[in-house]
Amino acid sequence: MHAATRSIGLVAGLLMAVAPEIGRAGDWSTGDVGDQLPAPPSVYLLVGGGVTDFTRSVVKDRFGVGGAWDLRLGIGSRSYVGGEVAYVGSFRRGAGADPDLGSSGAEGVLRLQVPYAVRGWLVEPFVFGGIGWSHLSLRNAAPDVKSTDDIGVIPFGGGLTVGYGNLLLDARFTYRSSFSEDLAVAAGPGSKDFSQWGISASVGYEF
């Protein structure tokens, strides 16, 4: 947990370091890319949700497909390089009599993106990667079963942002590899591997 927390702090520091460079992509609406003075970094807020599932069958078979939600604060929405810090959560029903599983945590990512803005519209495909932490909690678990764990996650993936004016719509695919797991939800190899994928959509506002 402490290693993941330090990593999140490192990513946050990195975002602050690159902030002066964010916005140097130029004015895409005029076609004079790179010829304009650097614009102030654009800040945005996104809230959204989607679905998520584990990748290892030994863990996946213990739970149904989960619902996921997130709240993201980003910088550099009209630049080649951007970044986000986020709160992320999810909930999965246990299969049969198995306990339910909830999670909540935080992550920070760097985004590489290609913004195209014209007549108030923004179309921006992007890829991202970073580091995070998640707290897992089994609900209604047996008294003799370990029911909580703090794990590290490595989120990466890609997506598309579309905006008009200050309104942003964001869709993305995320894969989260896990590490430092102690919680076992089943017996056998892979029972502590909480790697997962997620598909989400968000709506937001650019300041």
Side-chain angles (χ1 to χ4, degrees):
M1 173 181 174
H2 295 299
T5 303
R6 288 195 298 270
S7 299
I8 294 173
L10 178 61
V11 171
L14 209 59
L15 296 183
M16 296 298 294
V18 303
E21 301 300 321
I22 294 176
R24 295 183 182 272
D27 186 354
W28 286 71
S29 62
T30 64
D32 298 328
V33 180
D35 295 333
Q36 308 297 319
L37 291 175
S42 49
V43 177
Y44 60 94
L45 187 68
L46 294 171
V47 58
V51 296
T52 183
D53 202 2
F54 294 117
T55 58
R56 294 296 294 265
S57 59
V58 66
V59 179
K60 180 178 179 179
D61 292 345
R62 302 299 296 267
F63 306 98
V65 175
W69 54 89
D70 56 58
L71 177 65
R72 298 180 177 276
L73 178 64
I75 185 171
S77 55
R78 296 173 182 265
S79 313
Y80 293 127
V81 179
E84 295 174 345
V85 291
Y87 161 79
V88 293
S90 67
F91 181 78
R92 298 170 173 86
R93 291 286 186 187
D98 290 332
D100 303 330
L101 178 65
S103 72
S104 61
E107 59 190 37
V109 301
L110 289 176
R111 289 178 37 150
L112 300 179
Q113 49 209 15
V114 182
Y116 179 76
V118 59
R119 295 185 180 88
W121 286 94
L122 170 69
V123 178
E124 183 175 78
F126 63 88
V127 294
F128 62 89
I131 193 78
W133 155 83
S134 184
H135 177 75
L136 305 180
S137 178
L138 288 172
R139 304 185 183 184
N140 303 316
D144 58 340
V145 173
K146 178 179 172 65
S147 61
T148 63
D149 194 12
D150 293 290
I151 68 172
V153 295
I154 301 175
F156 58 91
L160 178 69
T161 296
V162 177
Y164 183 75
N166 296 100
L167 179 66
L168 297 176
L169 300 176
D170 179 286
R172 68 182 66 192
F173 174 86
T174 305
Y175 183 88
R176 291 182 175 89
S177 179
S178 67
F179 62 93
S180 299
E181 310 96 327
D182 293 320
L183 181 65
V185 297
S191 62
K192 294 183 179 181
D193 187 345
F194 294 98
S195 298
Q196 57 195 278
W197 59 265
I199 298 175
S200 62
S202 304
V203 61
Y205 188 84
E206 184 181 36
F207 299 94

